[in-house]
Amino acid sequence: MSSQNKSEKVTIKYLAKKSGFSASTVSRALRGDPAANEETKRKILKIAEDLNYYPNLLAKGLRDKKTKTVGLILNDLKNPLYYETIDAIGQALDARNYTMILCDSNYDQQLERKNIINMLAKGVDGIIISLVNAKSENIKLIRDNGLAAVYIDCRPDFKDINFVYVDHQKAAFDAAGYLIGQGHKQILLLNGPSQLSSSKNYLKGYLKALKKYGIGPQEELVKNVDLSIQAGCRAMKECHRQKDKYNFRAVVTLSDIVAIGIYEAARELKFSIPDDYSVIGYDNIMATAYLCPPLTTVHQPKIRTGSYSAKILLEKMENISADFTQIILEPRLVIRESVKRL
């Protein structure tokens, strides 16, 4: 498709010219009229998205009206990390008669963008979002459309925004530091995907702890894995089978879900936690207290993240506060039975 002439405003008439359909057909497709042909609708919506028409149509048309809806976009709805946060946000919104629309970005920046576009299309009054990346261009998309927003689980590299952020760097520093204090010097890090801001900050904290205690970093002991039980299990089995190469006795992970994968590997390969490997997770999801042995982990203040982010967003949407609010929450080490003192 040829690029849009910058001097020409994107209107229904412009979309009709670009798509080859009549203005009335374009209008029906954009409204989601059930009488519109599905294939025609799909083509028109794709052209509208490519031309960034959605803000002009909806953000301006609906922004003057309050829909009493809030968008919540998270990276992984399957991860129990978010359950308590979603519940806290939901309770705060319910108390003010707001409805919540929930979307999963699955750590995909393009899917994240589509979710934001869908929220704009639905005319939400505000959005709470856990970004895939702190430098995401999707922040500009939100800001350009004047949408009230609070960012969680990530500290964006932009000024004049609202966020509630848990200090991931400190979480890794505390976890690795505790293992070192228990006599461990060879510590495997099962981190998240390298493009995630949380992974980058977690790595910084891990390296900072090693440096503080005079332990040189070993590149082979840092592995990036998907944040899933299956990925954690696969990575641990690979490292266990090549233990002469990796030579470690302790593991710190970016997620309790990955740590649970280590427990699954232990069950399959018959090694012991903590006698063979000490393990520390991150998040303190409910299941970790019931593992055998109970998992030492770093607690994320999930309920406070949800409560604070909802409160900030409500203040912005209802014009109670025009100031930008930025909250950094400290994680807390929860010591259980998955770490052995050497």
Side-chain angles (χ1 to χ4, degrees), residues 146-204:
L147 187 62
V150 180
Y151 301 90
I152 61 174
D153 199 34
C154 178
R155 184 176 179 177
D157 290 345
F158 287 75
K159 296 179 180 178
D160 301 335
I161 58 171
N162 308 294
F163 65 73
V164 181
Y165 172 70
V166 179
D167 192 340
H168 300 316
Q169 186 174 149
K170 185 178 188 303
F173 179 83
D174 289 351
Y178 177 69
L179 286 169
I180 294 167
Q182 298 302 304
H184 295 276
K185 294 185 177 180
Q186 306 295 107
I187 302 170
L188 174 69
L189 170 61
L190 292 185
N191 206 0
S194 59
Q195 75 272 17
L196 300 185
S197 296
S198 54
S199 300
K200 294 173 183 176
N201 286 316
Y202 208 69
L203 175 61
K204 287 178 184 176

Side-chain angles (χ1 to χ4, degrees), residues 48-68:
E49 180 182 331
D50 289 344
L51 294 174
N52 289 338
Y53 177 70
Y54 47 87
N56 296 329
L57 171 71
L58 297 151
K60 289 182 181 178
L62 296 177
R63 198 61 59 221
D64 294 335
K65 281 186 177 181
K66 295 292 183 182
T67 61
K68 300 290 283 188

